[in-house]
Amino acid sequence: MDLFTTKGYAATSLREIAEALGINKASLYYHFRSKEDILLSLFEDRGSEAEELVTWLQDQPPGPGLLQTAVMRWVGSFSADKLRGIRFLTANPLVLRGTDSAAGDRISASLTQLVDSLEPLLPSRTGADVVLLRMAILSINAAVEAAAGTDIPDQDILDAAHRAANRLLAEIGRS
Amino acid sequence: MDLFTTKGYAATSLREIAEALGINKASLYYHFRSKEDILLSLFEDRGSEAEELVTWLQDQPPGPGLLQTAVMRWVGSFSADKLRGIRFLTANPLVLRGTDSAAGDRISASLTQLVDSLEPLLPSRTGADVVLLRMAILSINAAVEAAAGTDIPDQDILDAAHRAANRLLAEIGRS
DNA sequence: GTCTATACGGTGATAGAC
DNA sequence: GTCTATCACCGTATAGAC
């Protein structure tokens, strides 16, 4: 994942991966069936958080503060150890869409489903408000990208993402 | 640029580019010396806005509102026709760093210089505040990414970015 | 300016010995 | 499980005719 994040998935060859592991290139094919299989194995157990939030959301009574609660619950579900996955995704934004494999679609689909569940809760639903909502949801990604290249600690990045999400939510509907 | 944005730079072959242009693959080498040359030609005249803002900034008298003014000036300098470049950059975040060519470095370097000029204006300068500042500067990018896959008009995306930048600036120092 | 033809290297992937 | 050897393929890039 480190190689995919720093060099990009397409630009990382199996030779480099094998080299980093100290084994031969052909030995990779004993553990994985293809290069894409290596990629998907890194995200096997991911994508469940969004689905859980969606089901949680369906059990909640609709109210004025539900949107804020749900988004902050989502943003708050990220801990420092999950930033590695975020960093990979921001470095390879197109790669999951190109897999057309089950695991690849699951992550993007679950996030789409989350957005679809939250958009109806918007008071106004203008174009800009929809963007602001999505920005709030993706504030973790934006914070990671903003801090790329610096040596800012992960906890500060998470703090900034939380505060940004709060502010963006407060801006919704104020056009 | 459309091909590089939708498929990714590395995943786009010269054959596809030639096909889209209706010419032969080899004919490309009459107009460009290499694939990287095609990429850099798309950004020949870019990167100057950030430099202009930095020089403008140096002539301004320091004051409490200078940070906000400068960031909003930066965010406001983006019009709808510049979003194509932003979309390319968000789809290919690693590609400019890998060129080690003059034009490639110039864009990222100018943005780094902008950040370096603005950070000293921060009141507190904690880790989270630095991230928030950088998020405000990159709010255009974040808005474009948030709206990816939707049919939201460019003007709404720009509106959301402006409002987001304002909110993020207001959050700085409030830890 | 555009074409055909080709060189050359690296890629993902396979076969089979150990 | 790991290796050597090899494969077909596709990538960028070049040579040279028209």
Side-chain angles (χ1 to χ4, degrees):
Chain A
M1 190 183 278
D2 283 341
L3 283 171
F4 288 160
T5 302
T6 54
K7 296 184 43 106
Y9 172 73
T12 303
S13 67
L14 295 179
R15 183 184 50 76
E16 289 171 299
I17 297 174
E19 216 165 77
L21 294 171
I23 63 174
N24 191 279
K25 183 176 67 166
S27 303
L28 287 173
Y29 284 89
Y30 176 81
H31 303 277
F32 304 97
R33 286 184 307 179
S34 67
K35 185 184 181 183
E36 183 174 315
D37 193 34
I38 297 177
L39 170 70
L40 297 178
S41 73
L42 299 172
F43 294 93
E44 256 171 1
D45 51 348
R46 292 304 176 89
S48 54
E49 296 95 339
E51 293 165 8
E52 288 171 13
L53 184 57
V54 170
T55 58
W56 173 87
L57 195 61
Q58 290 165 342
D59 293 344
Q60 298 301 312
L66 183 55
L67 183 67
Q68 279 76 1
T69 308
V71 171
M72 293 315 293
R73 201 180 165 94
W74 167 252
V75 175
S77 73
F78 287 88
S79 49
D81 64 314
K82 290 185 185 163
L83 292 189
R84 279 169 59 93
I86 300 289
R87 290 197 171 95
F88 169 87
L89 287 175
T90 60
N92 299 277
L94 299 171
V95 96
L96 282 189
R97 215 205 41 179
T99 56
D100 77 15
S101 167
D105 281 349
R106 211 189 53 239
I107 295 184
S108 44
S110 63
L111 214 145
T112 307
Q113 197 186 358
L114 175 62
V115 171
D116 290 342
S117 303
L118 291 175
E119 276 189 12
L121 299 179
L122 279 173
S124 51
R125 208 168 181 179
T126 65
D129 278 347
V130 172
V131 176
L132 284 169
L133 169 61
R134 297 171 80 108
M135 288 178 78
I137 296 172
L138 295 174
S139 56
I140 297 275
N141 302 54
V144 164
E145 250 172 302
T150 72
D151 57 349
I152 296 173
D154 285 351
Q155 190 54 51
D156 288 344
I157 297 174
L158 290 172
D159 286 348
H162 291 139
R163 291 163 63 188
N166 260 318
R167 282 286 174 169
L168 294 173
L169 287 169
E171 173 64 21
I172 290 176
R174 290 206 196 279
S175 79
Chain B
M1 189 183 279
D2 283 341
L3 283 171
F4 289 160
T5 301
T6 53
K7 298 186 43 111
Y9 172 72
T12 302
S13 67
L14 294 179
R15 183 184 50 77
E16 290 170 298
I17 296 174
E19 216 165 76
L21 293 172
I23 63 172
N24 191 278
K25 186 175 63 166
S27 303
L28 287 173
Y29 285 88
Y30 176 80
H31 303 277
F32 305 97
R33 285 184 310 179
S34 67
K35 184 185 181 184
E36 184 174 316
D37 193 35
I38 297 177
L39 170 69
L40 297 178
S41 74
L42 298 173
F43 294 93
E44 256 171 1
D45 51 348
R46 292 303 175 91
S48 54
E49 296 95 338
E51 293 164 9
E52 288 171 15
L53 184 57
V54 170
T55 58
W56 173 86
L57 195 61
Q58 290 166 343
D59 293 343
Q60 298 303 310
L66 183 56
L67 182 67
Q68 279 77 2
T69 306
V71 172
M72 294 315 293
R73 201 181 165 92
W74 167 251
V75 175
S77 73
F78 286 88
S79 49
D81 64 312
K82 291 186 186 164
L83 293 190
R84 281 170 58 94
I86 300 289
R87 291 199 170 94
F88 168 86
L89 287 175
T90 60
N92 299 277
L94 301 170
V95 98
L96 282 189
R97 217 205 39 182
T99 56
D100 77 14
S101 168
D105 280 348
R106 211 189 51 235
I107 296 183
S108 45
S110 63
L111 215 146
T112 306
Q113 198 186 358
L114 175 62
V115 171
D116 290 343
S117 303
L118 291 174
E119 275 188 13
L121 299 178
L122 279 173
S124 53
R125 208 169 180 178
T126 65
D129 279 345
V130 172
V131 176
L132 284 169
L133 170 61
R134 297 171 80 106
M135 288 178 77
I137 296 172
L138 296 173
S139 56
I140 296 275
N141 302 54
V144 165
E145 249 173 304
T150 71
D151 56 350
I152 296 173
D154 285 352
Q155 190 52 53
D156 288 344
I157 297 174
L158 289 172
D159 286 349
H162 290 139
R163 291 163 64 187
N166 259 318
R167 282 285 174 170
L168 294 172
L169 287 169
E171 173 63 23
I172 290 176
R174 292 208 194 279
S175 78

